[in-house]
Amino acid sequence: MGDKSMVNVKKLTRKDFSSDQMVRWCPGCGDYSILAQVQKTLPDIGVEKENIVFVSGIGCSSRFPYYMNTYGFHTIHGRAPAIASGVKIANPDLSVWIVTGDGDGLSIGGNHTIHILRRNIDVNILLFNNRIYGLTKGQYSPTSELGKVSKSTPMGSLDRPFNPPALALGSQATFVARAIDVDGKPLQSMIRRAQEHRGTSFLEIYQNCLIFNDGAYSHLTDKKTKEDTVLHLEHGKPMLFGKDKKKGVFLSKNTPKVVEIGEQWSESDILVHNEKDWIIASILSHFTYREDLPTPVGVLYAVDEPVYEDMMVDQISHAVSQNQKADLNSLLGSGDTWTVE
Amino acid sequence: MSKQTHLTKELDHAVIRFAGDSGDGMQLTGGRFSETTAIIGNDLSTLPDYPAEIRAPAGTLAGVSAFQLHFGSVDIHTPGDRPDVLVAMNPAALKVHIKDLAPGGIIIINKNAFTEKYLKLAGYESNPLEDDSLIGNYTVYPVEMSKLVKNACESLDVPKKTVERTKNLMALGILFWMFNRPTEPTIRWLKEKFAKQPTIIEANIRALNAGYNYGSTTRILTTRYIVGKAKLPSGTYRNIHGNYATALGFVAAAERSGMSLFYGGYPITPASEILHTLSAWKQFGVKTFQAEDEIAGIASTIGAAYAGSLAVSATSGPGLALKAEALGLAVMAEIPLVIVNVMRGGPSTGLPTKMEQTDLLQALFGRNGEAPIPVIAAATPGDCFYASYEACRIAVKYMTPVLVLTDGYLANGSEPWRIPAAEDLPEFFPNFSPPDTGNGKFNPVKRDKKTQARPWAIPGTAGLEHRIGGLEKNYDTGEVCYDPDNHMKMVTARADRVKGITQDIDPLHVYGVEEGDLLVLSWGSTFGASRSAVSHLIKEEKSVAHAHLRWIHPLPKDLGDILSRYKTILIPEVNTGQLSLLIRATYPVNVKGYNQVRARPFKSQDIIDTINRQLD
Ligand code: SF4
């Protein structure tokens, strides 16, 4: 969809993408910010409103389609990727968006998430990761840290969490990116990049659930700490962060570590980001949950690979061109036949 | 000694069963005989019966695969109660199937397989060809098939194993001779199938001819049988299998409605051939999606239907269980789609390659909440075409998911099928809402007065942007709504919309007396056994009749009236009484169930006996 011509598209505004439904997330929920950024971005992507479909599963985040004045389908728990696959295959001209959460997309719907990624169907997945179950009122999720004390784990959770970008890369994803709910501009640009990518785009959005897991990402959003904890990735640029960009990621025998730019280290020692390099993306994905390393946001990985529905359309056109006389009567009467007078 | 000539005997029908090891090619052999005898003009019905394991250990009882066919010059409704001829390619096949053979039946045996090793594997303590267990009770023809095909292929440059594998063609040749059937269609078929392997073609043709000539020259077989043409209604026919017919029905529905066909599904026995068949019809624009699991199968189907495709899927019992939640979504969001359940033996993995009718209640009620779905069941392999076609038409017209029930017997069984002209199939069209360029707010639940169907507003249509989902919605606006009265109204509306389909259902046809002692009420594949049982008893002037249900939800309007005209309603089902339960709960009539859950289709004799017991 990304390359669709912008000619003839009436210029829409954020308001055109807001439905008349009252938004019912808890006041202060990170979902509000994400909704706003999506509504702000969509007028600029060059797709007619009627060609946009939001598909969601179940969970707080999955109420999203109700608030968008586009086509929307609020489905059942975990199945949005599979439903969206059918939508996109049936009509490849549509711009299809999946809104899901860490429970919906990685737990009950984990199977569909990994399979849509491997197929590379051209849809955009927005995975709101708040590392908790909100709608069912506060159980730990598959991205909660080990030992998470929650309603269902009073003595701490026992299962190790998923690492979403690593999971996506392991599923052969062709686009993996991360953004943070309250960081409006970078989030907008990631939404745009996800839209532009042909193939399945996997955008993990760190989202604060202030009711059940408040502060999960405060170290990444707090003005005092965020410069030292967030690494903004830019293709072709060294991985610098911190105040005045004085910190950088150095790869010492395949092991990433943070170094200070100064006497011992210069900018030229710093690892340069390359979106098309799976090894670099893989290393970056394993920064997740590491306290000694910054949290990468931006595009970790973006490559062009064949798109599922393109290949399907090609196979069909080929079959059609090989069988000029494909008509129903000849199919009905194919095989050995005989006539009874 | 004077020169002996073969006797000929005329039969109006005959039943043959081919049985051998899973690797012996019995399904192929039975299939070839069926195709040939169909082309000759017989009516027929077939029953493949194969183990769940792809290749159980050779020579064991578990590895026996069989194919039964019933053909005749008369109406044939079932694959036959008892075989007249049994082909047994090894001791295990004989052991498993001998008990079904009609008294005095013919057994054709591959003598070379009756070795000590195979006899032991089959559990024979002595060789039945040498002791007196068969003599006197049956006519036994032990033929050295392995040896004869070896001789026939001597000059050919083919591996020993390949030669040994042609012995099924030898058996087929013998049967062709016995029943006066031509070998040419099979030779043609071999040439097509092995086009790139000329020596394989040659070896198989030699084996086939060796079998045929064995019959005509050795004079060991004494009798040839003549089974004349059946008096079928005039038209052009083909032999059709249920799963193929189902797939064909879907393509026909797509072509006639001008919609594009989407199939999303996960492989499962015995439904996978529907996926295979459709995936080979890309020239009709068919999109097939092999999903990651059963849930994704229906979920993708829902998505495709939402986007405006004619969306279908097929599965079997365990898969339907996995699809239940998503079917509820399709009910709630009013998504038109068709799911076929090719029923097999259950519960759980059960008997995957066998048939049962045990999923009726699952189809009707197996979802959370009040989630009514129309259910239609196919009666015969050929009827799978019309059932899937009609399901599509109803789904699109009433904006509802529809379930089609077939079973393992219909799916793999075959019968002669009169080829319909595309133009004669009822036309139908999707009611896609046109774009709305004004600024009026689109109402996604403004219903059609006659069908109560919502408009089908597909993504990509300007001005109709709206939201749907699995939450309860307001009756008038379609917006999310938790009001208790509204919920009651919606529950009723969903039920009424499905009930309204009765206006589209043909009146029930009653075969036999219009009122009387007993009506056999059948559904699904019990049609055949029920119809032959009743027609047999009508000839004996019994006060019996037969009515067959295709639509089970909703039931036809005239059913209650028809049932009230008989003293007893006999419902034969390969389950413990699921339709009986439904009929008893719906009509004040005297229902008797005939229920056998042996994962096998009924024999008509069983139904005849049951009716006679009821009439006494
Ligand atoms: S529970 Fe948490 S995630 Fe859900 S709406 Fe409230 S703040 Fe947001």
Side-chain angles (χ1 to χ4, degrees):
Chain A
M1 292 302 302
D3 48 8
K4 235 186 174 186
S5 153
M6 287 189 59
V7 194
N8 295 334
V9 178
K10 175 178 89 191
K11 180 70 189 154
L12 300 174
T13 64
R14 174 184 173 178
K15 246 191 88 199
D16 291 305
F17 286 92
S18 316
S19 78
D20 57 2
Q21 296 293 301
M22 193 176 70
V23 183
R24 296 190 195 202
W25 289 309
C26 308
C29 173
D31 291 356
Y32 282 93
S33 165
I34 304 172
L35 177 65
Q37 305 318 326
V38 171
Q39 287 170 343
K40 277 185 207 161
T41 310
L42 289 189
D44 297 327
I45 63 169
V47 180
E48 296 85 344
K49 194 162 60 118
E50 65 268 21
N51 285 331
I52 298 175
V53 184
F54 276 83
V55 182
S56 66
I58 294 294
C60 290
S61 60
S62 287
R63 296 296 172 100
F64 199 94
Y66 288 117
Y67 310 135
M68 296 293 302
N69 190 20
T70 61
Y71 283 91
F73 197 175
H74 176 221
T75 70
I76 44 176
H77 211 1
R79 315 304 167 204
I83 290 171
S85 297
V87 174
K88 183 69 182 181
I89 293 168
N91 185 356
D93 290 337
L94 298 172
S95 172
V96 179
W97 299 70
I98 294 165
V99 177
T100 184
D102 40 320
D104 189 59
L106 301 179
S107 197
I108 191 167
N111 197 31
H112 309 306
T113 302
I114 59 178
H115 284 278
I116 195 170
L117 289 170
R118 115 185 130 76
R119 290 191 184 103
N120 204 29
I121 295 175
D122 187 17
V123 301
N124 309 311
I125 301 175
L126 309 180
L127 185 132
F128 297 15
N129 182 1
N130 56 16
R131 298 186 175 171
I132 199 77
Y133 281 14
L135 197 64
T136 51
K137 299 196 166 60
Q139 303 81 5
Y140 78 110
S141 91
T143 54
S144 297
E145 63 281 9
L146 180 66
K148 179 82 179 172
V149 174
S150 76
K151 284 241 178 84
S152 56
T153 50
M155 294 174 72
S157 61
L158 304 174
D159 25 344
R160 294 158 64 231
F162 262 138
N163 176 348
L167 180 76
L169 287 169
S171 311
Q172 312 298 307
T174 57
F175 180 94
V176 179
R178 181 187 278 144
I180 300 171
D181 53 2
V182 290
D183 261 344
K185 282 277 172 300
L187 174 53
Q188 278 182 36
S189 91
M190 285 308 104
I191 293 167
R192 209 168 297 123
R193 282 291 306 270
Q195 155 67 21
E196 280 159 13
H197 176 70
R198 292 211 75 244
T200 312
S201 306
F202 182 83
L203 174 58
E204 179 190 30
I205 304 171
Y206 282 170
Q207 174 245 323
N208 189 42
C209 167
L210 86 163
I211 303 294
F212 297 111
N213 202 17
D214 193 23
Y217 303 111
S218 54
H219 60 299
L220 307 177
T221 53
D222 194 322
K223 275 209 179 72
K224 282 191 260 143
T225 53
K226 69 180 190 183
E227 284 185 331
D228 288 326
T229 53
V230 178
L231 169 65
H232 288 277
L233 298 169
E234 279 182 82
H235 181 61
K237 299 264 172 71
M239 296 180 193
L240 293 166
F241 65 105
K243 194 158 185 286
D244 305 324
K245 301 269 180 216
K246 283 292 180 216
K247 289 181 183 178
V249 176
F250 174 72
L251 207 53
S252 148
K253 288 193 183 148
N254 301 334
T255 306
K257 65 175 193 178
V258 173
V259 297
E260 301 271 349
I261 307 293
E263 283 169 26
Q264 198 187 347
W265 306 96
S266 73
E267 242 189 72
S268 59
D269 295 315
I270 301 306
L271 186 60
V272 173
H273 185 42
N274 180 356
E275 292 174 358
K276 300 192 185 315
D277 188 331
W278 194 88
I279 305 281
I280 290 179
S282 179
I283 291 170
L284 286 169
S285 73
H286 286 96
F287 285 22
T288 313
Y289 304 117
R290 286 275 294 268
E291 278 165 17
D292 57 329
L293 295 168
T295 296
V297 300
V299 177
L300 279 76
Y301 188 58
V303 290
D304 284 329
E305 292 288 344
V307 171
Y308 182 94
E309 65 274 17
D310 289 355
M311 293 187 285
M312 180 180 272
V313 167
D314 285 350
Q315 283 192 348
I316 290 173
S317 338
H318 181 74
V320 169
S321 71
Q322 296 290 302
N323 292 275
Q324 294 300 353
K325 277 175 284 182
D327 83 306
L328 182 55
N329 275 320
S330 58
L331 183 68
L332 290 167
S334 59
D336 284 336
T337 62
W338 69 97
T339 304
V340 174
E341 300 298 334
Chain B
M1 206 159 84
S2 69
K3 202 177 168 204
Q4 206 181 341
T5 48
H6 293 112
L7 300 169
T8 49
K9 211 167 150 186
E10 227 168 293
L11 299 173
D12 56 9
H13 65 119
V15 179
I16 303 177
R17 187 182 292 178
F18 295 91
D21 213 43
S22 295
D24 282 344
M26 291 296 96
Q27 303 304 322
L28 181 148
T29 314
R32 287 322 308 160
F33 195 100
S34 312
E35 297 288 333
T36 307
T37 208
I39 298 170
I40 294 303
N42 289 136
D43 195 1
L44 71 95
S45 169
T46 67
L47 176 66
D49 182 10
Y50 52 92
E53 295 72 23
I54 301 300
R55 289 274 163 92
T60 60
L61 299 174
V64 174
S65 168
F67 187 103
Q68 181 164 315
L69 89 142
H70 183 193
F71 60 106
S73 57
V74 291
D75 272 5
I76 301 292
H77 295 297
T78 73
D81 288 3
R82 321 198 72 173
D84 304 304
V85 181
L86 172 67
V87 176
M89 300 300 282
N90 68 5
L94 182 69
K95 179 106 187 203
V96 172
H97 293 289
I98 184 78
K99 58 181 181 299
D100 294 337
L101 193 62
I106 296 169
I107 312 175
I108 295 170
I109 275 174
N110 177 18
K111 194 177 170 193
N112 297 122
F114 279 62
T115 60
E116 210 174 308
K117 179 183 158 197
Y118 284 127
L119 286 163
K120 212 170 143 209
L121 275 172
Y124 277 115
E125 279 170 9
S126 67
N127 188 343
L129 301 182
E130 287 160 11
D131 63 25
D132 53 7
S133 59
L134 302 177
I135 300 164
N137 298 326
Y138 307 102
T139 310
V140 187
Y141 297 114
V143 185
E144 293 187 287
M145 295 189 199
S146 306
K147 191 175 146 196
L148 288 168
V149 294
K150 209 170 118 200
N151 293 345
C153 296
E154 211 161 29
S155 57
L156 274 182
D157 181 24
V158 268
K160 256 200 202 147
K161 251 198 173 152
T162 312
V163 172
E164 168 70 13
R165 281 223 199 106
T166 64
K167 62 182 186 292
N168 62 330
L169 270 289
M170 162 113 202
L172 182 63
I174 297 175
L175 270 288
F176 278 158
W177 177 82
M178 227 171 127
F179 286 95
N180 262 300
R181 293 290 174 260
T183 53
E184 287 74 24
T186 300
I187 293 173
R188 250 197 335 264
W189 179 84
L190 284 166
K191 285 183 175 163
E192 247 172 62
K193 187 169 162 83
F194 298 107
K196 292 198 182 96
Q197 296 153 288
T199 49
I200 304 253
I201 299 175
E202 183 57 29
N204 278 296
I205 293 177
R206 286 191 189 186
L208 181 70
N209 289 336
Y212 198 91
N213 297 337
Y214 182 88
S216 62
T217 57
T218 62
R219 324 254 162 195
I220 293 170
L221 301 160
T222 51
T223 314
R224 294 188 91 180
Y225 299 93
I226 314 247
V227 180
K229 285 184 188 217
K231 285 166 223 56
L232 297 168
S234 67
T236 304
Y237 284 76
R238 64 187 292 185
N239 189 39
I240 203 162
H241 292 80
N243 273 346
Y244 182 93
T246 301
L248 195 57
F250 286 145
V251 173
E255 289 287 304
R256 289 294 282 160
S257 63
M259 300 175 71
S260 73
L261 185 64
F262 174 94
Y263 178 99
Y266 188 72
I268 184 168
T269 303
S272 303
E273 290 81 16
I274 299 172
L275 167 62
H276 305 167
T277 307
L278 287 172
S279 64
W281 286 340
K282 293 194 168 54
Q283 69 271 30
F284 289 91
V286 180
K287 293 176 176 173
T288 52
F289 178 66
Q290 182 175 315
E292 56 271 24
D293 57 27
E294 289 283 355
I295 299 173
I298 184 168
S300 59
T301 304
I302 289 174
Y306 169 66
S309 288
L310 181 62
V312 302
S313 184
T315 188
S316 187
L320 187 65
L322 286 164
K323 286 170 158 50
E325 187 200 9
L327 268 171
L329 173 66
V331 169
M332 200 62 157
E334 303 174 40
I335 303 283
L337 54 85
V338 175
I339 306 287
V340 179
N341 176 8
V342 186
M343 293 179 289
R344 66 189 216 188
S348 186
T349 309
L351 301 86
T353 58
K354 313 289 185 219
M355 69 76 73
E356 256 175 35
Q357 295 184 297
T358 40
D359 294 342
L360 178 61
L361 294 183
Q362 180 182 213
L364 291 167
F365 305 115
R367 290 165 291 284
N368 63 306
E370 295 282 345
I373 291 181
V375 177
I376 185 171
T380 68
D383 187 45
C384 291
F385 173 86
Y386 292 102
S388 64
Y389 189 98
E390 195 167 337
C392 290
R393 185 176 69 83
I394 293 298
V396 165
K397 184 167 176 183
Y398 290 85
M399 293 297 284
T400 175
V402 177
L403 273 166
V404 178
L405 296 177
T406 74
D407 63 43
Y409 155 47
L410 296 178
N412 293 314
S414 68
E415 65 172 344
W417 185 64
R418 188 150 63 119
I419 300 164
E423 305 72 57
D424 295 341
L425 299 169
E427 256 183 314
F428 64 97
F429 301 103
N431 184 21
F432 293 141
S433 304
D436 182 2
T437 39
N439 280 326
K441 197 176 172 238
F442 172 64
N443 182 351
V445 292
K446 193 163 174 285
R447 297 174 181 285
D448 180 272
K449 286 215 172 61
K450 193 157 171 256
T451 62
Q452 295 301 310
R454 71 170 174 96
W456 199 354
I458 60 173
T461 317
L464 308 188
E465 295 85 357
H466 67 285
R467 272 63 57 193
I468 61 171
L471 290 170
E472 182 60 288
K473 54 188 176 289
N474 181 284
Y475 181 90
D476 299 304
T477 65
E479 279 164 11
V480 175
C481 179
Y482 301 127
D483 176 74
D485 293 336
N486 177 73
H487 180 47
M488 182 67 218
K489 197 169 173 186
M490 286 304 293
V491 166
T492 312
R494 283 186 283 268
D496 286 349
R497 188 156 44 88
V498 173
K499 273 186 213 140
I501 294 169
T502 47
Q503 66 198 346
D504 251 297
I505 297 179
D506 289 338
L508 205 59
H509 170 76
V510 177
Y511 171 82
V513 292
E514 281 196 14
E515 54 188 297
D517 291 342
L518 184 141
L519 176 85
V520 176
L521 182 67
S522 61
W523 71 274
S525 68
T526 44
F527 169 81
S530 303
R531 179 56 54 95
S532 33
V534 170
S535 77
H536 178 89
L537 291 171
I538 285 173
K539 282 189 203 126
E540 293 182 359
E541 298 185 353
K542 298 270 166 66
S543 170
V544 292
H546 175 214
H548 182 80
L549 289 174
R550 289 178 84 241
W551 283 102
I552 301 175
H553 191 56
L555 290 163
K557 268 193 253 179
D558 52 350
L559 178 61
D561 177 47
I562 289 167
L563 296 181
S564 70
R565 303 201 296 252
Y566 301 88
K567 286 186 205 138
T568 302
I569 309 299
L570 177 71
I571 303 183
E573 295 178 86
V574 188
N575 61 40
T576 55
Q578 301 191 8
L579 182 67
S580 293
L581 187 73
L582 191 73
I583 297 296
R584 279 193 195 108
T586 316
Y587 305 101
V589 289
N590 176 28
V591 171
K592 291 273 184 275
Y594 174 59
N595 305 98
Q596 291 284 322
V597 195
R598 305 177 62 250
R600 295 285 188 286
F602 285 133
K603 292 175 176 157
S604 53
Q605 190 60 46
D606 296 339
I607 297 181
I608 292 172
D609 294 345
T610 311
I611 296 172
N612 280 332
R613 270 198 305 277
Q614 288 297 329
L615 293 178
D616 282 347

